[in-house]
């Protein structure tokens, strides 16, 4: 049995907790996250609590909030779609104890299953504080839980419930308070079991609690299924604890979002939008300029340095990181992209990429996984890149594809260059050195290497390695078949235009009266 340790206090906003006796606001013995419910209103093959918002599943948010309390044990109670849910939880939190709820329904049974799983794991939760939360309440935060726990422990309560006052309380359990001593909570009555008078109460049970572990264990043994729903209600623990002489109290939160659950996709969207609003606001308070919060989506997992600017229509997902002074957007979607300091990223769709300090990407650029753009480098308009390392100061400015390639420093890749990396069966690498200049429409037929300082001619198809400093030419010399159009396309508008051009050139002779067009024509046929 692990004992709470005073030196492992987590910071708490409650001065009362800080001044409490050592051990009274310590690490909770356990947080039990309930996740056995069916979630049928989601109408989804994906378990409800695995639906994401802000880049993290709902249960992921719930586990993160729980973990923020640094509990001795983290428990998740599962039943519906058990295999998928348990695997997902174990992936997020390998140390979490997975508890299986049996066929007896109800939140009380779920918590009992959590406690039994701890006992089975050799870590019975018989002393200290046990916190209960829900897997489908994604906006709940660790500071809110810490406040609940510190109030609970500072007051020496048997149970402390997190409550909220809602204008529409229908469906929720209602908090019953003592008339003489309104600080005291008498119990919770479920909506379905409540009288009309009780249903007029607007203070609701969020379903999130701090329990004295010993009281919780004892009380659950007395909970029955004798109620309107035939379930073991966890809420019955409150009146049982009180009957035992324990103090039962409530922390009322004004932040209703933190206690709101998502049961269907409409609620999922509403909570997701609020989560995003909070993420965007947090970024702004931490030094990011966001021009249009309404069209900016920032996952909970994204990090931004100070003095970053996010332009409208931008979505930042996953492990994306934005470096200081970088400007991202408009209309940019980045997933797991590291953006360097003072980089600009304009109308880019990117994933698994790195953009170096002072580098630029976009507009209309598709950065695929493995793209690493060096500092001061550029991947310009209408470029697609994948698995390509581009050295410092190198530029791929317009219209092309670079895949499975290594490009050195200060190289300029001309317009429309393509790495032909796929032979229909296998992928091959293109290696291009530093200070290389490639002309428009060069195709690199991989595997192929181009040495430092080499050039390519326009339209070159580079099939053989190019030595350093060489000019690679692969296009056959141009030959003009004079008069071909008038001979082969007589009467066409092209033939008419050619004849008119010839006539003008004839009239003008060698004089300066020739049109620019005619001069051009003459030059080309030289
Ligand atoms: C419960 C509370 C109610 C409170 C409401 C807040 C009880 C008896 N009632 O209502 O007072 O206002 O939450 O949302 O506790 N779960 C299990 N196993 C079960 C049943 C539920 O793990 O057998 C989990 C669900 O996955 C969910 C949570 O417990 O995460 C709440 O279940 P739900 O059915 O939504 O809540 P109610 O019982 O209606
Ligand atoms: Ca229920």
């Amino acid at each position: 049995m692990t004992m709470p340790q005073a030196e492992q206090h987590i910071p708490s906003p409650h001065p009362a907790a800080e001044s409490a006796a050592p051990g009274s606001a310590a690490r909770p013995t356990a947080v039990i996250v309930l996740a056995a419910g069916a979630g049928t209103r989601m109408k989804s093959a994906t378990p409800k609590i695995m639906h994401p918002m802000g880049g993290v599943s709902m249960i992921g948010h719930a586990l993160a909030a729980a973990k923020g309390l640094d509990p001795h044990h983290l428990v998740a109670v599962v039943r519906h779609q058990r295999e998928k849910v348990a695997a997902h939880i174990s992936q997020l939190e390998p140390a979490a104890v997975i508890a299986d709820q049996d066929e007896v329904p109800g939140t009380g049974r779920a918590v009992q299953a959590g406690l039994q799983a701890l006992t089975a794991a050799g870590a019975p939760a018989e002393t200290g504080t046990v916190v209960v939360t829900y897997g489908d309440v994604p906006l709940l935060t660790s500071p809110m839980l810490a406040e609940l726990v510190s109030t609970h422990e500072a007051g020496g309560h048997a149970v402390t419930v997190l409550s909220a006052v809602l204008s529409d309380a229908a469906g929720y359990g209602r908090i019953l308070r003592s008339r003489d001593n309104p600080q005291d909570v008498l119990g919770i009555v479920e909506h379905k079991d409540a009288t009309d008078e009780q249903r007029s109460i607007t203070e609701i049970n969020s379903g999130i609690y701090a329990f004295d572990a010993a009281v919780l264990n004892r009380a659950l043994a007395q909970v029955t299924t004798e109620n309107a729903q035939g379930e073991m209600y966890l809420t019955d623990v409150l009146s049982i604890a009180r009957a035992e002489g324990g103090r039962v109290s409530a922390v009322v939160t004004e932040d209703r979002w933190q206690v709101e659950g998502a049961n269907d996709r409409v609620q999922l969207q509403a909570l997701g939008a609020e989560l995003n609003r909070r993420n965007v606001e947090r970024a702004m308070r931490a030094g990011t300029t966001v021009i249009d919060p309404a069209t900016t989506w920032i996952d909970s997992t994204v990090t931004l340095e100070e003095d970053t600017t996010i332009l409208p229509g931008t979505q930042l997902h996953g492990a994306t990181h934005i470096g200081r002074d970088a400007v991202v957007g408009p209309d940019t979607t980045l997933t797991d992209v590291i953006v360097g300091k003072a980089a600009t990223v304009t109308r880019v769709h990117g994933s698994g990429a790195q953009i170096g300090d002072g580098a630029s990407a976009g507009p209309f650029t598709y950065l695929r996984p493995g793209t690493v753009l060096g500092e001061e480098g550029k991947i310009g308009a209408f470029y697609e890149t994948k698995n390509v390392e581009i050295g410092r100061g190198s530029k791929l400015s317009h219209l092309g594809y670079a895949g499975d390639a290594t490009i050195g420093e200060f190289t300029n890749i001309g317009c429309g260059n393509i790495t032909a990396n796929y032979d229909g069966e296998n992928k091959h690498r293109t290696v291009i050195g530093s200070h290389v200049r490639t002309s428009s429409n060069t195709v690199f037929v991989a595997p192929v290497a181009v040495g430092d300082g080499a050039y390519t001619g326009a339209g070159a198809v580079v099939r053989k390695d190019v030595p350093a400093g060489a000019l690679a030419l692969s296009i056959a010399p141009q030959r003009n078949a004079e008069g071909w159009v008038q001979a082969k396309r007589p009467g066409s508008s092209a033939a008419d235009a050619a004849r008119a051009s010839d006539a003008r050139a004839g009239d003008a002779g060698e004089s300066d009266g020739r049109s620019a067009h005619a001069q051009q024509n003459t030059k080309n046929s030289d």
Side-chain angles (χ1 to χ4, degrees):
M1 177 67 221
T2 38
M3 292 300 293
Q5 289 164 26
E7 68 276 13
Q8 283 161 314
H9 281 196
I10 55 159
S12 162
H14 255 253
E18 292 307 316
S19 60
S24 70
R27 301 169 65 190
T29 303
V31 179
I32 301 177
V33 182
L34 305 191
T40 48
R41 277 176 283 168
M42 221 58 175
K43 300 210 165 45
S44 175
T46 302
K48 174 171 93 169
I49 56 171
M50 285 172 65
H51 279 259
M53 62 174 66
V56 177
S57 64
M58 286 205 278
I59 183 81
H61 287 290
L63 292 170
K67 220 186 157 197
L69 286 181
D70 192 22
H72 287 283
H73 305 289
L74 183 55
V75 184
V77 184
V78 301
R79 178 167 168 83
H80 283 275
Q81 293 189 283
R82 193 247 180 239
E83 295 312 320
K84 274 189 196 173
V85 170
H88 178 68
I89 291 168
S90 296
Q91 195 194 345
L92 292 172
E93 289 299 332
V97 173
I98 307 290
D100 285 289
Q101 188 176 347
D102 61 14
E103 61 287 343
V104 180
T107 48
R109 188 59 166 188
V111 170
Q112 216 170 27
L115 293 170
Q116 281 163 4
L118 279 174
T119 303
E126 288 164 351
T127 62
T129 299
V130 171
V131 174
V132 172
T133 68
Y134 289 172
D136 57 357
V137 177
L139 266 61
L140 181 71
T141 62
S142 300
M144 177 72 87
L145 284 176
E147 185 187 340
L148 179 71
V149 170
S150 59
T151 303
H152 174 77
E153 297 188 351
H157 303 165
V159 186
T160 310
V161 56
L162 186 61
S163 71
V165 176
L166 301 186
S167 50
D168 180 12
Y172 287 96
R174 309 298 211 286
I175 306 291
L176 307 176
R177 288 180 182 266
S178 154
R179 264 184 233 283
D180 307 333
N181 198 352
Q183 288 305 104
D184 282 353
V185 171
L186 305 176
I188 295 171
V189 62
E190 288 306 289
H191 183 91
K192 285 182 177 148
D193 301 286
T195 63
D196 283 347
E197 196 197 345
Q198 287 168 331
R199 285 181 183 181
S200 71
I201 296 169
T202 56
E203 185 182 7
I204 62 99
N205 168 27
S206 71
I208 293 150
Y209 323 77
F211 292 100
D212 177 274
V215 173
L216 178 64
N217 279 282
R218 273 199 306 275
L220 278 173
Q222 297 175 47
V223 171
T224 69
T225 57
E226 285 155 28
N227 50 55
Q229 301 184 84
E231 294 180 4
M232 270 182 76
Y233 289 168
L234 180 59
T235 46
D236 286 355
V237 168
L238 278 75
S239 50
I240 295 169
R242 205 182 139 79
E244 266 195 352
R247 173 126 197 255
V248 178
S249 191
V251 168
V252 190
T253 179
E254 294 192 341
D255 187 358
R256 70 180 177 94
W257 289 105
Q258 287 216 38
V259 299
E260 202 121 305
N263 293 308
D264 60 26
R265 297 189 199 233
V266 173
Q267 291 170 335
L268 185 74
Q269 186 280 330
L271 282 164
E274 176 59 21
L275 176 65
N276 186 62
R277 201 191 62 71
R278 291 174 183 219
N279 287 348
V280 171
E281 184 175 316
R282 179 155 37 87
M284 292 192 288
R285 295 205 186 282
T288 296
T289 293
V290 177
I291 302 299
D292 184 17
T295 62
T296 300
W297 290 81
I298 301 179
D299 279 359
S300 302
T301 45
V302 167
T303 51
L304 302 101
E305 295 178 17
E306 282 179 22
D307 280 321
T308 43
T309 300
I310 308 300
L311 300 177
T314 296
Q315 302 92 40
L316 305 178
H317 300 304
T320 293
H321 175 81
I322 311 297
R324 198 173 178 113
D325 294 321
V327 179
V328 178
D331 303 329
T332 292
T333 304
L334 303 180
T335 305
D336 303 331
V337 173
I338 309 298
V339 176
K341 297 185 198 312
T344 58
V345 183
T346 309
R347 296 184 203 277
V348 168
H349 189 95
S351 62
Q354 289 180 40
I355 299 166
D357 292 351
S360 75
F364 308 108
T365 305
Y366 184 23
L367 305 178
R368 296 170 61 199
T371 297
V372 179
L373 177 60
E375 61 184 87
E376 306 289 337
K378 177 180 178 184
I379 302 174
F382 303 102
Y383 235 102
E384 175 177 336
T385 59
K386 188 192 180 196
N387 264 334
V388 54
E389 278 169 50
I390 300 164
R392 181 164 54 112
S394 287
K395 294 186 162 67
L396 294 74
S397 295
H398 348 258
L399 300 167
Y401 171 71
D404 298 308
T406 306
I407 298 171
E409 297 185 346
F410 304 105
T411 281
N412 193 76
I413 302 294
C415 180
N417 281 206
I418 304 281
T419 55
N421 58 330
Y422 184 50
D423 64 12
E425 289 182 352
N426 295 301
K427 299 278 182 73
H428 302 283
R429 281 196 88 76
T430 299
V431 179
I432 298 174
S434 295
H435 298 279
V436 169
R437 300 281 178 270
T438 70
S439 219
S440 297
N441 264 23
T442 301
V443 177
F444 301 93
V445 182
V448 75
V450 177
D452 289 345
Y455 275 54
T456 67
V461 178
V462 179
R463 296 176 188 277
K464 294 190 295 189
D465 288 359
V466 181
L471 167 65
L473 298 167
S474 71
I475 298 288
Q478 181 174 333
R479 185 175 68 86
N480 292 336
E482 299 271 353
W484 185 92
V485 172
Q486 289 185 53
K488 300 291 186 185
R489 301 287 184 270
S492 69
S493 63
D496 293 347
R499 187 179 319 107
S501 176
D502 284 355
R504 281 198 304 278
D507 290 350
E510 297 305 308
S511 83
D512 351 343
R514 294 190 300 171
S515 69
H517 178 227
Q519 285 184 28
Q520 190 68 34
N521 260 3
T522 311
K523 220 181 200 171
N524 279 357
S525 47
D526 276 347

